[in-house]
PDB file of all heavy atoms in Angstrom:
ATOM      1  N   ALA G 228      11.328  13.595   0.021  1.00  0.00           N
ATOM      2  CA  ALA G 228      10.759  14.884   0.397  1.00  0.00           C
ATOM      3  C   ALA G 228       9.300  14.920   0.093  1.00  0.00           C
ATOM      4  O   ALA G 228       8.769  15.860  -0.520  1.00  0.00           O
ATOM      5  CB  ALA G 228      11.490  15.973  -0.327  1.00  0.00           C
ATOM      6  N   THR G 250      16.522  13.957  -2.306  1.00  0.00           N
ATOM      7  CA  THR G 250      15.363  13.375  -2.900  1.00  0.00           C
ATOM      8  C   THR G 250      15.498  13.106  -4.438  1.00  0.00           C
ATOM      9  O   THR G 250      16.059  13.957  -5.158  1.00  0.00           O
ATOM     10  CB  THR G 250      14.139  14.244  -2.625  1.00  0.00           C
ATOM     11  OG1 THR G 250      13.078  13.758  -3.485  1.00  0.00           O
ATOM     12  CG2 THR G 250      14.327  15.734  -2.864  1.00  0.00           C
ATOM     13  N   SER G 257       6.586  14.686  -5.390  1.00  0.00           N
ATOM     14  CA  SER G 257       6.438  13.530  -4.589  1.00  0.00           C
ATOM     15  C   SER G 257       4.943  12.989  -4.646  1.00  0.00           C
ATOM     16  O   SER G 257       4.036  13.822  -4.892  1.00  0.00           O
ATOM     17  CB  SER G 257       6.757  13.770  -3.200  1.00  0.00           C
ATOM     18  OG  SER G 257       8.121  14.276  -3.067  1.00  0.00           O
ATOM     19  N   THR G 259       2.909  12.146  -2.467  1.00  0.00           N
ATOM     20  CA  THR G 259       1.882  12.720  -1.587  1.00  0.00           C
ATOM     21  C   THR G 259       0.864  13.667  -2.261  1.00  0.00           C
ATOM     22  O   THR G 259      -0.248  13.707  -1.884  1.00  0.00           O
ATOM     23  CB  THR G 259       2.626  13.437  -0.391  1.00  0.00           C
ATOM     24  OG1 THR G 259       3.376  12.516   0.421  1.00  0.00           O
ATOM     25  CG2 THR G 259       1.667  14.229   0.506  1.00  0.00           C
ATOM     26  N   GLY G 264      -8.548  12.218  -0.828  1.00  0.00           N
ATOM     27  CA  GLY G 264      -9.604  12.321   0.183  1.00  0.00           C
ATOM     28  C   GLY G 264      -9.435  13.198   1.363  1.00  0.00           C
ATOM     29  O   GLY G 264     -10.291  14.103   1.514  1.00  0.00           O
ATOM     30  N   ASP G 431      12.397   1.934  -2.211  1.00  0.00           N
ATOM     31  CA  ASP G 431      13.796   2.066  -2.030  1.00  0.00           C
ATOM     32  C   ASP G 431      14.253   2.053  -0.541  1.00  0.00           C
ATOM     33  O   ASP G 431      15.169   1.426  -0.181  1.00  0.00           O
ATOM     34  CB  ASP G 431      14.360   3.407  -2.698  1.00  0.00           C
ATOM     35  CG  ASP G 431      14.285   3.413  -4.160  1.00  0.00           C
ATOM     36  OD1 ASP G 431      13.903   2.308  -4.767  1.00  0.00           O
ATOM     37  OD2 ASP G 431      14.554   4.400  -4.787  1.00  0.00           O
ATOM     38  N   GLU G 587       5.039   6.282   4.616  1.00  0.00           N
ATOM     39  CA  GLU G 587       4.544   4.974   4.091  1.00  0.00           C
ATOM     40  C   GLU G 587       5.714   3.844   4.079  1.00  0.00           C
ATOM     41  O   GLU G 587       5.369   2.702   4.239  1.00  0.00           O
ATOM     42  CB  GLU G 587       3.944   5.111   2.693  1.00  0.00           C
ATOM     43  CG  GLU G 587       3.147   3.858   2.354  1.00  0.00           C
ATOM     44  CD  GLU G 587       2.394   3.979   1.015  1.00  0.00           C
ATOM     45  OE1 GLU G 587       2.030   5.115   0.662  1.00  0.00           O
ATOM     46  OE2 GLU G 587       2.138   2.956   0.436  1.00  0.00           O
ATOM     47  N   ALA G 603      -3.359   8.132   6.551  1.00  0.00           N
ATOM     48  CA  ALA G 603      -1.994   8.090   6.122  1.00  0.00           C
ATOM     49  C   ALA G 603      -1.395   9.528   6.157  1.00  0.00           C
ATOM     50  O   ALA G 603      -0.257   9.720   6.626  1.00  0.00           O
ATOM     51  CB  ALA G 603      -1.878   7.537   4.724  1.00  0.00           C
ATOM     52  N   LEU G 604      -2.182  10.471   5.724  1.00  0.00           N
ATOM     53  CA  LEU G 604      -1.634  11.851   5.735  1.00  0.00           C
ATOM     54  C   LEU G 604      -1.295  12.323   7.157  1.00  0.00           C
ATOM     55  O   LEU G 604      -0.256  12.910   7.362  1.00  0.00           O
ATOM     56  CB  LEU G 604      -2.577  12.826   4.956  1.00  0.00           C
ATOM     57  CG  LEU G 604      -2.711  12.525   3.484  1.00  0.00           C
ATOM     58  CD1 LEU G 604      -3.686  13.518   2.779  1.00  0.00           C
ATOM     59  CD2 LEU G 604      -1.323  12.605   2.745  1.00  0.00           C
TER      60      LEU G 604
HETATM   61  C1  FAD F1074      -3.747   7.897  -5.286  1.00  0.00           C
HETATM   62  C2  FAD F1074      -3.564   7.930  -3.792  1.00  0.00           C
HETATM   63  C3  FAD F1074      -4.520   8.574  -3.030  1.00  0.00           C
HETATM   64  C4  FAD F1074      -4.342   8.651  -1.629  1.00  0.00           C
HETATM   65  N1  FAD F1074      -5.269   9.340  -0.887  1.00  0.00           N
HETATM   66  C5  FAD F1074      -5.085   9.430   0.492  1.00  0.00           C
HETATM   67  C6  FAD F1074      -5.921  10.223   1.258  1.00  0.00           C
HETATM   68  O1  FAD F1074      -6.941  10.726   0.782  1.00  0.00           O
HETATM   69  N2  FAD F1074      -5.719  10.261   2.602  1.00  0.00           N
HETATM   70  C7  FAD F1074      -4.659   9.675   3.187  1.00  0.00           C
HETATM   71  O2  FAD F1074      -4.447   9.833   4.378  1.00  0.00           O
HETATM   72  N3  FAD F1074      -3.803   9.018   2.426  1.00  0.00           N
HETATM   73  C8  FAD F1074      -3.956   8.857   1.155  1.00  0.00           C
HETATM   74  N4  FAD F1074      -3.077   8.133   0.379  1.00  0.00           N
HETATM   75  C9  FAD F1074      -1.836   7.556   0.985  1.00  0.00           C
HETATM   76  C10 FAD F1074      -0.799   8.725   1.208  1.00  0.00           C
HETATM   77  O3  FAD F1074      -0.973   9.649   0.211  1.00  0.00           O
HETATM   78  C11 FAD F1074       0.626   8.131   1.119  1.00  0.00           C
HETATM   79  O4  FAD F1074       0.754   7.043   1.943  1.00  0.00           O
HETATM   80  C12 FAD F1074       1.611   9.220   1.500  1.00  0.00           C
HETATM   81  O5  FAD F1074       1.417  10.401   0.757  1.00  0.00           O
HETATM   82  C13 FAD F1074       3.073   8.731   1.417  1.00  0.00           C
HETATM   83  O6  FAD F1074       3.860   9.892   1.753  1.00  0.00           O
HETATM   84  P1  FAD F1074       5.401   9.735   1.933  1.00  0.00           P
HETATM   85  O7  FAD F1074       5.971  11.131   2.410  1.00  0.00           O
HETATM   86  O8  FAD F1074       5.672   8.568   2.812  1.00  0.00           O
HETATM   87  O9  FAD F1074       6.000   9.352   0.546  1.00  0.00           O
HETATM   88  P2  FAD F1074       6.006  10.113  -0.869  1.00  0.00           P
HETATM   89  O10 FAD F1074       5.172  11.270  -0.896  1.00  0.00           O
HETATM   90  O11 FAD F1074       5.823   9.103  -1.943  1.00  0.00           O
HETATM   91  O12 FAD F1074       7.470  10.664  -1.021  1.00  0.00           O
HETATM   92  C14 FAD F1074       8.545   9.769  -1.185  1.00  0.00           C
HETATM   93  C15 FAD F1074       9.791  10.669  -1.392  1.00  0.00           C
HETATM   94  O13 FAD F1074      10.981   9.830  -1.407  1.00  0.00           O
HETATM   95  C16 FAD F1074      11.728  10.179  -2.408  1.00  0.00           C
HETATM   96  N5  FAD F1074      12.624   9.003  -2.741  1.00  0.00           N
HETATM   97  C17 FAD F1074      12.136   7.718  -2.890  1.00  0.00           C
HETATM   98  N6  FAD F1074      13.185   6.884  -3.119  1.00  0.00           N
HETATM   99  C18 FAD F1074      14.278   7.621  -3.055  1.00  0.00           C
HETATM  100  C19 FAD F1074      15.709   7.416  -3.144  1.00  0.00           C
HETATM  101  N7  FAD F1074      16.165   6.184  -3.397  1.00  0.00           N
HETATM  102  N8  FAD F1074      16.531   8.441  -3.058  1.00  0.00           N
HETATM  103  C20 FAD F1074      16.114   9.686  -2.792  1.00  0.00           C
HETATM  104  N9  FAD F1074      14.798   9.937  -2.659  1.00  0.00           N
HETATM  105  C21 FAD F1074      13.955   8.941  -2.784  1.00  0.00           C
HETATM  106  C22 FAD F1074      10.860  10.612  -3.534  1.00  0.00           C
HETATM  107  O14 FAD F1074      11.556  11.537  -4.330  1.00  0.00           O
HETATM  108  C23 FAD F1074       9.777  11.426  -2.676  1.00  0.00           C
HETATM  109  O15 FAD F1074      10.225  12.715  -2.445  1.00  0.00           O
HETATM  110  C24 FAD F1074      -3.246   8.022  -1.001  1.00  0.00           C
HETATM  111  C25 FAD F1074      -2.297   7.396  -1.791  1.00  0.00           C
HETATM  112  C26 FAD F1074      -2.491   7.338  -3.182  1.00  0.00           C
HETATM  113  C27 FAD F1074      -1.476   6.612  -3.949  1.00  0.00           C
END
Side-chain angles (χ1 to χ4, degrees):
Chain G
T250 166
S257 303
T259 293
D431 294 355
E587 194 171 334
L604 296 178

